[in-house]
Amino acid sequence: MFYRSLKSSSKLVNFEEAVKKGLAEDGGLFFPKKIKKLKKEFIENLENFSNIDIAYEVIKQFIGDEINENDLKNIITNTIDFDFPLIDIEKNVKSLELFHGPTLAFKDVGARFMANCLGYFNKKSNKINTVLVATSGDTGAAVANGFLDVKGTNVVILYPKNMVSEVQEKQLTTNKKNITAFRVDGTFDDCQQMVKKAFTDKELNNELNLTSANSINVARWLPQMFYYFFAIKQLKINNKKIVFSVPSGNFGNICAGAIAMKLGLPIDQFVASTNSNDTIPRYLNSKNYNPKKTIPTISNAMDVSNPSNFIRIEEIFQDFNELKNCFSSYSFRDDKTLKAVKSVYKNSNYILDPHGAVGYLGLKKFLANNSDFIGIFLETAHPIKFSNHIENELKLKLKIPQSINKILKKEKIFTDLSSYNEFKNLMLNFG
Ligand SMILES: *Cc1c(COP(=O)(O)O)cnc(C)c1O
């Protein structure tokens, strides 16, 4: 399968190159050269297929003959060995739980898929890739977990001091082996700045073979299509229109949903639900794309004001009116989000996390004017990852899952940093 850059479509690369590079040489995002619809009989009979068979059918055209059927099925099996349950919340409102993976957030699927693909491509070489990742919490945890012990990879995580939750920090700093954590005296943007600078630093690149594992990598982006197929498989309702509400930050997850629709999955509408970082809702209202300074919120994995993947969504829908026809977007402030956490607990005895709560709010807003739809919101993280906000709001103590209990007892290991030069010196003396 070939990928082109969204900046200049002339030069094509294969899947392996797209995964290893992350970003095209001209700085553009990679996009599949061709997208072929799936067979109708397959889509109408999803309930007769296992999740692994569905995932294989969905992803295989994006990989082509670069990984054979057996090996690709193994990669998929390693990626999705957990459940994706669809839970009834209210009439016509369902939650697709994406947090049953090892780090309790949906990013496990993309991170594990990418790690397995890189491990596969590295099998025959002795080169070591250094995977650099800046994180506001969830990405780094998923990447660390996915890449732990993967051949030919060293992972370096940069996270902002005092800005990730306790559970997240434990997930970032207790892995050891090929995973190293740097605690940066600064914000997430400072971490991202260092990573970006590292990629343009020739000396570092020559020495370390840098790769990025952030959400624009095609191997992290595309497997997210699976969620939408798994949801429809469990829905078992014909002749109703279907809307997905996706809590969105960098817009990778919802963009994968749009590709699933292109493949023929019966989705009628998307709602991109955001927190106070409302660049896209404002854009859809005004046609004016005007990112502002990022605002910190309780749904911190969505604190993004200039979503990288939006350009891919525009590529999928081509013109503004076509986009508006099947795409709505709403923004909600933290006070509304916490109110939703409370009311859903009271009325449905269901505990949302702050990200899922934003998704729920967007869905309710859409359904208020579109009662002929059945709605699914994506619940992207386990509430325990944000237990301070949830326990405060609901006045209860959340049960700690076993996997978290284990790491809470482990010692955090990290190195403190405050400047790019410090970072560079540490990297050059690495391993
Ligand atoms: C990353 C993340 C999001 C945002 O997903 P995007 O693909 O960046 O839009 C939402 N919820 C949680 C819990 C996340 O970790």
Side-chain angles (χ1 to χ4, degrees):
M1 175 58 171
F2 286 109
Y3 291 82
R4 61 190 164 86
S5 161
L6 286 180
K7 270 202 180 147
S8 68
S9 48
S10 51
K11 189 173 176 230
L12 299 177
V13 303
N14 65 11
F15 177 71
E16 178 172 352
E17 255 185 284
V19 174
K20 286 187 170 165
K21 286 202 172 122
L23 213 60
E25 269 164 21
D26 61 9
L29 269 66
F30 286 120
F31 195 85
K33 179 166 175 269
K34 232 180 31 210
I35 297 172
K36 209 173 74 208
K37 266 204 155 137
L38 297 173
K39 287 208 183 77
K40 241 191 157 146
E41 304 89 80
F42 167 69
I43 289 185
E44 284 170 359
N45 290 295
L46 289 176
E47 68 264 33
N48 299 328
F49 292 88
S50 70
N51 281 0
I52 289 169
D53 288 339
I54 290 173
Y56 176 72
E57 280 305 312
V58 169
I59 200 92
K60 72 176 182 197
Q61 67 168 297
F62 297 96
I63 289 153
D65 57 10
E66 292 174 54
I67 303 177
N68 69 48
E69 175 169 348
N70 234 337
D71 288 331
L72 183 54
K73 282 198 170 156
N74 279 337
I75 289 175
I76 291 169
T77 307
N78 291 336
T79 302
I80 53 168
D81 63 348
F82 48 87
D83 292 330
F84 301 83
L86 186 67
I87 310 288
D88 284 316
I89 306 297
E90 297 164 15
K91 188 168 177 273
N92 292 337
V93 173
K94 292 164 195 288
S95 166
L96 182 69
E97 294 185 348
L98 302 179
F99 57 74
H100 296 280
T103 71
L104 308 182
F106 82 95
K107 290 187 173 77
D108 281 324
V109 168
R112 287 173 138 204
F113 190 78
M114 180 182 166
N116 275 276
C117 288
L118 259 189
Y120 176 86
F121 291 132
N122 282 345
K123 249 198 282 191
K124 287 180 236 90
S125 93
N126 289 321
K127 255 190 171 174
I128 303 268
N129 286 307
T130 303
V131 179
L132 255 194
V133 61
T135 185
S136 58
D138 283 346
T139 299
V143 168
N145 186 282
F147 280 83
L148 191 66
D149 278 332
V150 169
K151 183 178 182 281
T153 63
N154 276 325
V155 175
V156 175
I157 302 165
L158 288 87
Y159 70 96
K161 189 176 172 177
N162 300 330
M163 288 191 176
V164 300
S165 73
E166 178 64 14
V167 169
Q168 285 173 326
E169 187 166 22
K170 288 278 187 180
Q171 289 178 327
L172 297 171
T173 57
T174 59
N175 297 286
K176 300 185 185 162
K177 298 185 176 170
N178 60 330
I179 316 291
T180 304
F182 289 142
R183 186 174 78 166
V184 176
D185 191 6
T187 63
F188 168 64
D189 286 321
D190 297 323
C191 298
Q192 202 158 34
Q193 216 46 49
M194 285 193 198
V195 168
K196 280 190 179 153
K197 202 160 166 187
F199 277 98
T200 57
D201 189 322
K202 285 228 169 71
E203 198 185 347
L204 265 192
N205 266 294
N206 289 342
E207 198 73 21
L208 296 169
N209 231 340
L210 296 181
T211 309
S212 147
N214 73 9
S215 71
I216 54 176
N217 194 300
V218 294
R220 279 201 50 204
W221 168 47
L222 290 169
Q224 304 178 94
M225 295 184 294
F226 304 160
Y227 311 142
Y228 302 85
F229 284 86
F230 298 163
I232 303 280
K233 169 185 172 179
Q234 296 173 74
L235 196 56
K236 296 188 179 105
I237 292 170
N238 297 321
N239 57 44
K240 263 220 157 190
K241 287 197 269 185
I242 297 168
V243 54
F244 276 93
S245 171
V246 185
S248 295
N250 229 350
F251 280 64
N253 197 355
I254 196 167
C255 183
I259 299 274
M261 184 166 93
K262 280 275 162 196
L263 293 180
L265 194 67
I267 302 172
D268 298 278
Q269 279 284 331
F270 286 99
V271 178
S273 301
T274 75
N275 57 32
S276 293
N277 296 288
D278 61 352
T279 306
I280 302 306
R282 281 186 290 109
Y283 170 69
L284 289 178
N285 279 331
S286 66
K287 222 176 159 174
N288 189 2
Y289 191 89
N290 179 24
K292 294 182 179 163
K293 202 170 174 285
T294 308
I295 302 165
T297 74
I298 58 170
S299 47
N300 65 9
M302 300 175 358
D303 292 349
V304 179
S305 64
N306 191 3
S308 311
N309 281 291
F310 195 66
I311 185 165
R312 285 185 170 138
I313 292 178
E314 290 189 300
E315 182 67 23
I316 295 166
F317 292 102
Q318 295 293 324
D319 80 35
F320 187 78
N321 288 330
E322 199 195 327
L323 174 65
K324 274 201 81 153
N325 266 340
C326 50
F327 209 91
S328 327
S329 190
Y330 311 117
S331 145
F332 302 95
R333 288 206 320 253
D334 282 350
D335 52 343
K336 271 250 164 133
T337 305
L338 286 172
K339 257 196 192 149
V341 168
K342 200 174 210 165
S343 74
V344 169
Y345 180 63
K346 198 169 139 236
N347 299 327
S348 307
N349 199 26
Y350 187 77
I351 301 180
L352 294 165
D353 98 292
H355 304 77
V358 171
Y360 168 85
L361 283 167
L363 181 59
K364 291 290 278 188
K365 186 156 175 169
F366 178 85
L367 291 176
N369 295 317
N370 298 277
S371 54
D372 52 336
F373 276 75
I374 185 150
I376 299 168
F377 67 93
L378 306 192
E379 178 43 287
T380 46
H382 192 294
I384 197 75
K385 293 191 92 167
F386 308 93
S387 53
N388 51 343
H389 298 298
I390 303 300
E391 291 180 346
N392 239 338
E393 188 63 26
L394 299 182
K395 311 269 180 287
L396 52 72
K397 206 90 196 119
L398 292 173
K399 202 171 156 254
I400 301 178
Q402 235 184 9
S403 60
I404 296 294
N405 237 337
K406 254 205 262 166
I407 64 162
L408 286 180
K409 294 190 191 101
K410 291 191 188 169
E411 184 197 355
K412 294 186 223 175
I413 299 175
F414 54 81
T415 306
D416 274 312
L417 288 182
S418 54
S419 73
Y420 181 76
N421 283 343
E422 252 178 277
F423 168 63
K424 184 171 170 175
N425 282 334
L426 284 164
M427 292 291 285
L428 288 173
N429 296 317
F430 206 62

